[in-house]
Amino acid sequence: MLLKRYRKEFCRPPNPEAQHLRCVAYLNENIGNVLPYLNTVLKGHQYIKNPPSLTLKFNGKLITLYSQEIGINIVKDEDEADKILEWLKQEINDTWKKRREIKPSFEVAQKPDILNILKLLPKTNCQECGQPTCMVFAILISEGEKDPENCPQLDMQNKITLQNYLKQFINR
Ligand code: SF4
C-alpha cells in the first residue's frame, strides 16, 4: 500500500458569502511517483511534471494531488471530504499496485480556448451566472470550474455547440 494515512484541514474561501469549505489533506507518504499512472487511469485534467501535480475534475470540483498533499476546492462538509479522500486513497493504492500494467501519461492537457467559448456566449454581461462579465465566465469554463449549464441566457443551439466543443478536451 502506497498511501496509508493523511490528516485533513478545512478553511473557508476568502469570499465571506461562500457556503462551502476548502479541504487540504496532508499525506504521510509521498505519492509523486504514482501521479503519471493516475493521469492515465483517471484521465487527469492537468498534469505537471516538476514539481509533480495532477489536477482532476470530479463532480464539479477541482482536486489537485501533489506529492504530499491533496487539495479539494469545494466541499460541503467533512463527510463529503472523507468520501472523496477515501475514494482517492483507494485509486492511488490500486493504481500503484497495477502500475506495471499501466502506461504512464506525462501529457499536459490542452485547455479550451477562451475566445472560442466567449463567441458562443450571449455577451450581454447580465451577471445572472454570478460572474461580472461573460469574459470571466468564459475563463471559468476554460478552467473547468463552470459549465455551459451555468449560463441561464445561453440558447439551446449555442449550448450544444459549446458542449460539443468542450468534449474534445481531456476529462470534460
Ligand atoms: S449569465 Fe451568461 S450572458 Fe449573463 S453574464 Fe453570465 S455568461 Fe454572460
Side-chain angles (χ1 to χ4, degrees):
M1 185 184 282
L2 178 65
L3 176 59
K4 297 188 184 103
R5 293 180 57 207
Y6 55 82
R7 170 179 60 83
K8 58 186 187 304
E9 284 183 6
F10 295 91
C11 66
R12 290 255 169 223
N15 176 0
E17 289 172 19
Q19 298 294 312
H20 61 270
L21 299 169
R22 287 181 179 163
C23 175
V24 179
Y26 298 96
L27 314 180
N28 275 26
E29 291 76 27
N30 187 317
I31 62 163
N33 289 339
V34 80
L35 297 184
Y37 298 94
L38 268 185
N39 192 19
T40 301
V41 172
L42 298 179
K43 295 191 174 64
H45 179 63
Q46 184 172 52
Y47 173 73
I48 294 173
K49 199 169 179 180
N50 193 15
S53 72
L54 176 66
T55 301
L56 308 171
K57 274 190 73 193
F58 178 78
N59 291 347
K61 305 171 196 311
L62 286 177
I63 302 175
T64 305
L65 297 90
Y66 304 92
S67 292
Q68 293 209 256
E69 263 178 51
I70 297 175
I72 310 173
N73 71 335
I74 298 174
V75 284
K76 78 173 182 288
D77 51 29
E78 185 167 356
D79 195 41
E80 186 182 43
D82 283 340
K83 282 185 187 142
I84 294 170
L85 288 168
E86 282 304 302
W87 166 71
L88 278 172
K89 184 178 166 192
Q90 183 81 40
E91 290 290 341
I92 288 165
N93 287 329
D94 286 353
T95 301
W96 186 245
K97 199 168 154 190
K98 294 181 195 153
R99 66 189 180 282
R100 285 184 186 82
E101 302 154 33
I102 301 167
K103 187 174 175 207
S105 168
F106 298 91
E107 193 180 329
V108 176
Q110 296 293 311
K111 286 184 190 170
D113 183 81
I114 293 165
L115 292 181
N116 282 345
I117 297 168
L118 184 63
K119 73 183 177 196
L120 290 166
L121 295 177
K123 296 184 279 298
T124 57
N125 299 329
C126 71
Q127 304 187 351
E128 281 186 44
C129 58
Q131 304 309 319
T133 62
C134 294
M135 174 60 101
V136 174
F137 186 78
I139 292 168
L140 292 174
I141 288 193
S142 174
E143 296 292 329
E145 293 181 32
K146 294 285 175 192
D147 288 308
E149 297 290 342
N150 302 124
C151 169
Q153 297 292 327
L154 192 57
D155 68 43
M156 189 53 72
Q157 192 175 342
N158 278 8
K159 188 184 288 184
I160 291 168
T161 306
L162 185 49
Q163 280 166 337
N164 286 338
Y165 170 68
L166 295 172
K167 270 185 202 157
Q168 64 191 297
F169 298 92
I170 291 174
N171 212 19
R172 299 267 335 190

